[in-house]
Amino acid sequence: MSLQTRLMTAVIGFVSLILVIVAVITSATLGATMERQLEDRLKSYSSQVTQWVGRVPAQLATVENVLDINDVRVPGLLLAVSSSEGGTSGVLFPDTKDEWGGVAQTLTSSDLRRIDAALGGQPSATVTLDDFGSYMVFAQKAANGANVVTGLPRTEIQNQLATLLTVIALATIGGLILLALTTAITIRVGLKPLRAVAATATRVANQPLDRGEVEITERVPAAEADPRTETGLVGASLNTLLDHVNTSLAARQKNEERMRRFVADASHELRTPLSSIRGYSELSLRALKQQGGPAAIEGTTTSLERIQAQSLRMTRLVEDLLLLARLDEGRELVYGSVDLAQLAVESLTDARPTAPDHRWSIEVPEEPVVIVGDAGRMHQVVGNLLANARTHTPAGTTVTLRVGREGDDAVVRVHDDGPGIDPVVRDELFARFARGDSSRARQTGGTGLGLAIAKAIVEGHGGVITVSSRPGDTTFTVRIPITPAQVPQTPAAPAAPGDAQ
């Protein structure tokens, strides 16, 4: 059954049970009250009639004599007198003048025996007479020794109880119908947000989410997503979930596009040296077949040298890609004590001969700046940043390397006064195979992985790398905690640092 049906069944069932219990208790209480009132009246009539019977001699103690002496004509009164001398006789007066023609009815011997059996030696009882209905009877002994039985009809009690039960039944049926309608409307309105949630979920489920650029625009209406109600909270939660899924799908699409660009760039970078190797190989084979002697040897030697150069270029690219993959997996770092000040001096000393037309300067504190990290990889970070500044700036540019400590972080800054970075490519600067614009065009054949590797290494140390740039002022900033939050207990074996890109 649906939730609406179960709720209606439970509510109507419980209310019906409560109404039945109330009806039973009400009718029982009212019936008992009316029975006590009837009994009180009957006792009053019985005492009076018994006194009248006691005034008659025992041999004359019959109903007829009592009625002749006293006018006992109470509507509905039953009177029976029994004595050893006068025998047993009884009479019953009608409730109204129209009943039985207003004439008192004589009780038959069968009626008298039934009354005697009902009393069974008890002072009071309830007896049902075939022609007259149910009566409450009360027995007393008169002064002359006669037994006097008086009774009053229970018809009024039965009629009132029947009327009460009829009214309760009709009111119960009407109330249950009204309750069913009210409950159905209330539940239907209350469950409206759930139907809105189901409709929204169905529309989302019918959308193709497994391919292409996906955006989930379906939401539960705000009117049905009120978190202050239980059903509205479900709608609000679904909207939150859809927002999260939509963001995740957008991130997935962005990652897929980035991966496609990455594969395309990597393929392009590998295709060039492979094409060169293939071309020079074919030239060498052709020279060996068509020529001989020193000319063939000289041509083959030149081709082999070019093949070797392209092989080295391809090897560097593959090693850089492998390094990035290992850094993404949290591997490749071997922790130890690293003095960044000394490392900066060594890196600048290595970079200075590669660009004698640049002006190089360094600023390091007098005290060592020691961190817990991978010395080889940190050397690669600084080397890549210096190589980036050297490659993308013209001759005469001043490159300054600064090392210091700020709070709990060690800070390395590489500054140059070159032409700056185009804002268009600044957001993708640390992406793999990123290329600068014409203002910072590459002058050498790098792979475009240098800054991506530097970022991966810095983040592997729990740090961050940022860049700020405007014409004449470009600064790369590396912040690394002095002590990382977590150091692997069993570090991986160190790998040879790749060339600065």
Side-chain angles (χ1 to χ4, degrees):
M1 294 188 296
S2 65
L3 177 59
Q4 179 174 349
T5 304
R6 293 200 302 269
L7 289 176
M8 289 185 61
T9 302
V11 171
I12 295 175
F14 280 121
V15 173
S16 300
L17 178 62
I18 292 173
L19 291 178
V20 169
I21 294 174
V22 170
V24 171
I25 293 176
T26 301
S27 59
T29 302
L30 180 61
T33 301
M34 296 178 69
E35 292 281 355
R36 285 195 299 270
Q37 292 176 352
L38 181 64
E39 185 178 1
D40 293 339
R41 286 175 55 204
L42 180 59
K43 287 181 179 179
S44 175
Y45 290 142
S46 178
S47 298
Q48 186 177 3
V49 172
T50 300
Q51 291 178 3
W52 290 341
V53 173
R55 296 172 186 171
V56 178
Q59 62 275 14
L60 300 176
T62 62
V63 171
E64 291 80 4
N65 292 333
V66 172
L67 294 178
D68 290 341
I69 298 174
N70 301 282
D71 187 11
V72 184
R73 294 186 182 276
V74 179
L77 180 65
L78 179 149
L79 176 60
V81 179
S82 176
S83 65
S84 57
E85 293 84 356
T88 302
S89 59
V91 68
L92 188 149
F93 297 98
D95 283 348
T96 62
K97 293 181 179 180
D98 296 335
E99 191 174 5
W100 315 318
V103 179
Q105 300 292 317
T106 301
L107 296 176
T108 63
S109 58
S110 175
D111 294 333
L112 294 174
R113 285 195 299 271
R114 184 168 295 182
I115 293 173
D116 183 62
L119 287 171
Q122 300 297 323
S124 63
T126 298
V127 61
T128 301
L129 303 179
D130 293 337
D131 298 328
F132 309 111
S134 178
Y135 276 77
M136 179 183 287
V137 294
F138 190 79
Q140 277 187 314
K141 186 177 286 294
N144 57 8
N147 293 317
V148 180
V149 177
T150 55
L152 288 175
R154 298 178 65 251
T155 306
E156 183 178 359
I157 296 176
Q158 293 174 339
N159 291 339
Q160 290 188 5
L161 290 178
T163 301
L164 175 65
L165 292 176
T166 301
V167 172
I168 290 178
L170 293 176
T172 299
I173 294 174
L176 290 178
I177 293 175
L178 181 61
L179 176 64
L181 293 176
T182 305
T183 304
I185 295 174
T186 302
I187 294 175
R188 188 171 185 83
V189 173
L191 295 180
K192 186 178 179 182
L194 290 182
R195 289 192 292 274
V197 169
T200 302
T202 301
R203 291 194 297 270
V204 172
N206 292 332
Q207 290 184 352
L209 304 178
D210 58 338
R211 61 186 180 276
E213 186 173 357
V214 179
E215 182 179 3
I216 302 177
T217 59
E218 296 290 345
R219 294 294 184 276
V220 179
E224 313 298 341
D226 187 355
R228 295 174 296 179
T229 64
E230 290 81 357
T231 52
L233 181 61
V234 177
S237 300
L238 179 61
N239 284 344
T240 303
L241 175 62
L242 292 178
D243 291 338
H244 176 69
V245 172
N246 192 52
T247 303
S248 300
L249 289 174
R252 184 211 66 181
Q253 180 65 19
K254 186 176 181 180
N255 288 335
E256 288 181 355
E257 293 176 354
R258 185 178 299 171
M259 182 59 67
R260 283 194 293 268
R261 290 196 303 269
F262 173 77
V263 172
D265 290 341
S267 300
H268 177 75
E269 291 291 338
L270 290 173
R271 184 178 61 180
T272 300
L274 287 175
S275 298
S276 299
I277 291 173
R278 178 180 177 183
Y280 284 116
S281 298
E282 291 176 353
L283 287 175
S284 299
L285 291 174
R286 186 179 303 169
L288 290 176
K289 291 180 180 179
Q290 297 178 356
Q291 301 177 3
I297 296 176
E298 182 180 357
T300 302
T301 302
T302 303
S303 297
L304 291 176
E305 290 176 351
R306 299 303 302 166
I307 290 173
Q308 183 183 27
Q310 296 299 327
S311 299
L312 292 175
R313 178 183 175 187
M314 189 165 56
T315 300
R316 287 195 300 270
L317 175 60
V318 172
E319 288 178 350
D320 288 344
L321 291 174
L322 180 60
L323 173 60
L324 283 172
R326 289 178 176 176
L327 290 173
D328 289 341
E329 295 175 357
R331 301 164 54 191
E332 199 65 24
L333 296 179
V334 180
Y335 287 88
S337 296
V338 181
D339 185 356
L340 290 182
Q342 180 181 354
L343 185 147
V345 173
E346 294 174 354
S347 298
L348 192 69
T349 302
D350 294 338
R352 193 187 305 271
T354 62
D357 52 353
H358 284 60
R359 292 189 294 271
W360 301 88
S361 65
I362 186 170
E363 298 177 8
V364 295
E366 295 181 358
E367 297 180 356
V369 180
V370 180
I371 66 169
V372 177
D374 188 320
R377 295 307 173 196
M378 288 306 304
H379 194 283
Q380 188 174 1
V381 169
V382 178
N384 283 1
L385 293 178
L386 293 175
N388 182 75
R390 177 199 71 216
T391 303
H392 299 288
T393 56
T397 301
T398 300
V399 180
T400 303
L401 176 60
R402 298 186 180 93
V403 177
R405 178 170 180 170
E406 297 179 3
D408 294 332
D409 295 335
V411 181
V412 178
R413 289 186 174 91
V414 177
H415 173 270
D416 69 73
D417 56 2
I421 304 173
D422 189 344
V424 176
V425 300
R426 188 180 304 165
D427 294 337
E428 298 293 332
L429 196 60
F430 294 99
R432 297 170 188 185
F433 296 106
R435 294 287 189 271
D437 64 347
S438 58
S439 63
R440 291 176 68 90
R442 285 189 301 134
Q443 303 299 326
T444 61
T447 61
L449 296 176
L451 293 180
I453 292 175
K455 181 176 184 245
I457 294 174
V458 170
E459 290 179 349
H461 284 78
V464 294
I465 180 171
T466 58
V467 60
S468 62
S469 179
R470 64 176 184 271
D473 184 7
T474 299
T475 303
F476 285 85
T477 303
V478 175
R479 292 182 177 272
I480 296 181
I482 298 297
T483 303
Q486 183 177 3
V487 178
Q489 297 298 324
T490 307
D499 296 335
Q501 306 298 321

